[in-house]
Amino acid sequence: MIKIISVGKLKEKYLLDAQKEYTKRLSKYTKLEIYEIQDENDNDIVRALIKEKEKIIKFLKPQDNIILLDLKGTKVSSEKFSSLINEELTYKSNITFIIGSSNGVHEEIKKIASKTISISDMTFPHQLFRIMLLEQIYRSFKIINNESYHK
Amino acid sequence: MIKIISVGKLKEKYLLDAQKEYTKRLSKYTKLEIYEIQDENDNDIVRALIKEKEKIIKFLKPQDNIILLDLKGTKVSSEKFSSLINEELTYKSNITFIIGSSNGVHEEIKKIASKTISISDMTFPHQLFRIMLLEQIYRSFKIINNESYHK
């Protein structure tokens, strides 16, 4: 099972539609849960990260196998990402992806993550980023199942 | 002025809506033209790349300053990408971005590109990739103009 905990809410209709489409496609391969956390509108970044961390933790269970998405994480190809997902799901039966706010996440979240992955050196708005992650998860299952996927 | 030549057509409604939204936002900063090329459905990859190349070239003018988007290009941060766009537009007054098919582009296109940029080590469908590029161009103008943009 795959869980995504994302700081920030999807607002744009086209992104909600994109998420709906990927959720539908992914239902063939895995159970998927998406939790949204309201990002903190606090000029004190440290204080905002602490508040967001507390809200993230509420969605975590002790057995959760956490992969953090972060600008400074390890960069991998789609093929590598796919085998990583396959391994994690085989040995730990679940993955919880955490997407932080534009300020990242609190150090404590970094510490409890088993892996930290970076999709790009470029900063994306969390809304679009969530769709990019869903796309790579979907692509991973296509690769794992040897199904063609080019578009 | 910015031109995007993209191999493959946008089909999903949510991506067309996303493109419309970014086109509207970008109209404040630059003239933007987007040209779509039908990708070749040819099992012979080399032959497909040659055909796609010929179609790409039809949209090029001698003065075009080409930046190719490619998995194997240079990876840059959003800030770096922004200053690159600023410089190119200042000194050459135009940028033509080329997005190839899932098989990339013909060698000849690689040779005429002044720069090759990679957004990610991961492979994205060209449709979503075009939105990711529009987002980074939009973010670049926000950075160039010192306008806040976090979402």
Side-chain angles (χ1 to χ4, degrees):
Chain A
M1 120 147 223
I2 290 180
K3 185 154 83 177
I4 298 175
I5 302 175
S6 185
V7 179
K9 292 185 185 284
L10 279 199
K11 284 167 197 153
E12 311 269 7
K13 185 175 180 305
Y14 58 84
L15 294 170
L16 285 165
D17 288 346
Q19 174 168 303
K20 205 185 284 174
E21 171 65 22
Y22 278 112
T23 308
K24 198 177 83 188
R25 288 191 204 168
L26 277 164
S27 64
K28 193 180 151 189
Y29 303 104
T30 185
K31 192 165 176 298
L32 173 72
E33 288 174 4
I34 300 177
Y35 299 100
E36 286 184 337
I37 283 168
Q38 181 69 56
D39 49 336
E40 292 293 329
N41 209 349
D42 192 326
N43 285 331
D44 185 327
I45 293 176
V46 178
R47 208 163 51 199
L49 290 181
I50 291 174
K51 285 187 203 159
E52 285 164 2
K53 175 202 74 178
E54 282 161 4
K55 289 194 270 186
I56 290 171
I57 285 173
K58 284 191 187 146
F59 288 104
L60 293 177
K61 293 192 181 129
Q63 68 272 27
D64 281 2
N65 171 35
I66 297 163
I67 298 184
L68 175 65
L69 280 308
D70 190 274
L71 262 184
K72 297 193 186 90
T74 311
K75 279 191 272 297
V76 292
S77 66
S78 295
E79 289 69 24
K80 190 80 198 295
F81 187 65
S82 165
S83 44
L84 189 149
I85 284 193
N86 198 15
E87 275 169 33
E88 299 285 327
L89 288 181
T90 305
Y91 297 109
K92 294 167 191 163
S93 79
N94 80 84
I95 302 175
T96 294
F97 289 103
I98 296 180
I99 304 173
S101 73
S102 48
N103 295 314
V105 292
H106 190 270
E107 281 302 318
E108 223 172 281
I109 301 290
K110 291 182 186 168
K111 277 184 202 148
I112 57 173
S114 70
K115 287 191 171 58
T116 304
I117 300 287
S118 166
I119 291 184
S120 178
D121 280 348
M122 295 179 176
T123 307
F124 284 90
H126 63 79
Q127 298 196 67
L128 181 57
F129 190 84
R130 197 193 306 177
I131 305 304
M132 290 159 59
L133 174 63
L134 284 168
E135 154 62 33
Q136 288 304 314
I137 297 172
Y138 176 65
R139 185 172 290 265
S140 293
F141 282 108
K142 297 298 262 185
I143 295 172
I144 293 168
N145 292 286
N146 272 313
E147 296 167 10
S148 75
Y149 178 50
H150 278 304
K151 56 171 215 164
Chain B
M1 117 148 227
I2 290 181
K3 185 155 83 177
I4 298 176
I5 303 176
S6 185
V7 179
K9 290 184 185 286
L10 279 199
K11 284 167 197 153
E12 312 270 8
K13 184 174 182 306
Y14 59 83
L15 294 170
L16 286 164
D17 288 346
Q19 175 167 304
K20 205 184 284 174
E21 171 65 22
Y22 278 112
T23 308
K24 197 177 83 187
R25 290 191 203 169
L26 278 164
S27 64
K28 192 180 152 189
Y29 303 104
T30 185
K31 193 167 175 295
L32 173 71
E33 289 175 4
I34 300 177
Y35 299 100
E36 286 183 336
I37 283 168
Q38 181 70 54
D39 48 337
E40 291 292 329
N41 208 349
D42 192 326
N43 286 330
D44 184 326
I45 293 176
V46 178
R47 208 163 51 199
L49 290 181
I50 291 174
K51 285 187 203 160
E52 285 163 3
K53 176 201 74 179
E54 283 161 4
K55 289 194 272 185
I56 290 172
I57 285 173
K58 282 190 188 146
F59 288 105
L60 292 176
K61 294 192 181 128
Q63 68 272 28
D64 281 1
N65 170 37
I66 297 164
I67 298 184
L68 174 65
L69 280 308
D70 190 273
L71 262 183
K72 296 194 186 88
T74 311
K75 279 190 273 295
V76 292
S77 67
S78 294
E79 289 69 23
K80 190 83 196 294
F81 187 65
S82 164
S83 44
L84 188 149
I85 285 193
N86 199 14
E87 275 169 32
E88 299 286 327
L89 288 182
T90 305
Y91 296 109
K92 294 166 191 163
S93 80
N94 81 85
I95 302 175
T96 294
F97 289 103
I98 296 180
I99 305 173
S101 72
S102 49
N103 295 314
V105 292
H106 190 270
E107 282 302 317
E108 224 172 280
I109 301 291
K110 291 182 186 169
K111 277 183 204 148
I112 57 173
S114 71
K115 287 191 171 59
T116 304
I117 300 287
S118 165
I119 292 185
S120 178
D121 281 348
M122 294 179 178
T123 308
F124 284 89
H126 63 79
Q127 298 196 67
L128 181 57
F129 190 84
R130 198 194 304 177
I131 305 305
M132 290 160 58
L133 174 63
L134 284 168
E135 154 62 33
Q136 288 305 313
I137 297 172
Y138 176 65
R139 183 173 292 264
S140 293
F141 282 108
K142 297 297 262 186
I143 295 172
I144 292 167
N145 292 286
N146 271 314
E147 295 168 10
S148 74
Y149 178 49
H150 278 305
K151 55 170 216 165

